[in-house]
Structure formats: C-alpha cells, structure tokens
Amino acid sequence: MSRFSDPSGDATHMISDAELDELEQEIPILAGIRRFGEEAVNMPWFSKLGRPLDREVKALARSYLDGLGFPDAEPARIRDWVEAADAAMTLDIDPAHWEAEESLRASLAADALDILSEDALNIAMTHVSALLSERVRVAVEEAADFWEVDDVELLNAAAGAALHAAHGAALSLVAGADDDHPFRRKFALFTRGRWPIGIAGLTFNIF
C-alpha cells in the first residue's frame, strides 16, 4: 500500500494495491487518447467540401453505412453550403441514423467504463474536446471565408458535428472497438476534409 503526503509531510490519502493496478492499466489508454487527439489536430478538417466523392471516401461511407445498419443507403455528394443546409434540416425529420448512433454510443460507453474509471473516461473525453475545439473552429471559419458563407447556425452545426464525431471515435478507441467501427469510419470522413452530414431516407449526404 502506498501513501500520498502533502508538502508538510502529513498523510492525506491511502492508495491500495488494487487502485494502483487500476491506474497502471489506465495510463496506456489515456496516452493513446492523447496521441489520437494530437494526430487529429493536424488533419485537413473541412478542406475538401463539395468535391466529388473519391473511391476512398465512398469505401469509408459504405463501411459506415453497413456497420450502422443501413446497407441499402448510398453515399451522395453535397455540392455547396445551400445543399448542406437543406441536408442538415432533414436530420430533424428523419432521425433514424441518430438513434442508431446513440445506441452504439451507449454500448461503447458501457464497454469503456469496464476499462477506465468514470473520472478517467471523463478526463479523456474532455482532453480530446479541448485539443480539437479550436482547430475545428478555425477550419470551419476558413471554409466559410472560402465559400463566402455567413450562416452562423450552420457553421456551428458543422463544427459541433466534427467534435461529436471525434468524441465517438475516441470512445471507440477506449472501448477497444474494431478499426471498422462506424464511429471510426465517420471520423475518418471528417479527417479527410469532408462533412458527413447524415442519412436521409436511403441517402448518406456527404459535403
């Protein structure tokens, strides 16, 4: 058993061997999350909006759709911010894919809490958000300047979606999910400069 002391030398907390074992198990995972966030900061966020969907993007989209349970849906290109706004509005009308994602998110969170303590998991997720929030905000602003877009609500939606995807990917990493987990695929679309807006009917709209 180990003892933590304050600067005056008085004992303030006793840590058990079991607690030490738990901390030792958490450190590599937290280090992995830190690397994940640092690598994500350098990705070309929102830099390829509106471009044709190349083979890699289509493959990622297909993997995401199959994993999420939408095998009949197909990826479709969004060409500009006007189309993006229309596609974003349909999410409130057709929330089926959000419900599927939230079910996956709840399952991942339960698995993650079997691996990390609740405090450690909160620290990890907060760290990812802190690392990426400014980078994503700047990337959205740069895209808005390039496209001459001033719809603040839409730009905030894009940034929020990116951070949400990063959170999901980090959670899947903690939980030890496979590389082809839908959250990892969606995050990969973001980090390739796209905005995967969502599924409407049988269409997966990607800006």
Side-chain angles (χ1 to χ4, degrees):
M1 185 170 292
S2 300
R3 184 185 300 269
F4 285 152
S5 299
D6 64 20
S8 66
D10 295 330
T12 58
H13 179 64
M14 297 291 290
I15 232 181
S16 68
D17 291 338
E19 288 173 319
L20 280 175
D21 289 343
E22 183 178 341
L23 286 172
E24 288 175 355
Q25 292 171 3
E26 291 178 343
I27 287 171
I29 298 171
L30 294 176
I33 290 298
R34 179 180 179 180
R35 288 193 299 273
F36 166 85
E38 291 173 346
E39 291 172 1
V41 166
N42 296 316
M43 296 298 179
W45 298 88
F46 299 105
S47 61
K48 297 182 180 179
L49 301 177
R51 296 186 185 181
L53 306 183
D54 60 29
R55 183 179 300 177
E56 184 180 28
V57 166
K58 289 179 180 178
L60 288 170
R62 180 75 271 150
S63 180
Y64 166 79
L65 290 167
D66 292 345
L68 195 63
F70 291 82
D72 295 329
E74 294 291 338
R77 172 192 178 192
I78 296 294
R79 297 174 182 271
D80 55 41
W81 284 92
V82 174
E83 291 185 6
D86 290 341
M89 286 180 62
T90 65
L91 298 182
D92 294 330
I93 302 170
D94 190 6
H97 89 279
W98 283 111
E99 294 172 0
E101 282 197 357
E102 287 309 302
S103 178
L104 284 180
R105 192 177 302 276
S107 178
L108 284 177
D111 290 344
L113 288 173
D114 286 337
I115 299 168
L116 289 183
S117 65
E118 185 173 357
D119 286 344
L121 182 60
N122 288 336
I123 289 170
M125 296 300 102
T126 300
H127 183 67
V128 169
S129 296
L131 278 175
L132 290 180
S133 57
E134 178 65 13
R135 172 70 182 98
V136 167
R137 183 189 64 78
V138 170
V140 169
E141 289 178 352
E142 289 174 348
D145 289 343
F146 178 82
W147 288 80
E148 297 182 349
V149 176
D150 58 5
D151 186 335
V152 174
E153 185 175 352
L154 182 58
L155 298 174
N156 286 339
L163 291 175
H164 196 64
H167 183 281
L171 191 60
S172 74
L173 188 62
V174 172
D178 293 336
D179 289 343
D180 63 352
H181 189 280
F183 286 178
R184 303 280 279 274
R185 295 313 198 195
K186 187 174 185 179
F187 177 72
L189 288 169
F190 271 106
T191 59
R192 281 160 179 77
R194 313 308 295 245
W195 177 14
I197 297 174
I199 303 169
L202 295 179
T203 301
F204 180 26
N205 293 306
I206 302 174
F207 187 14

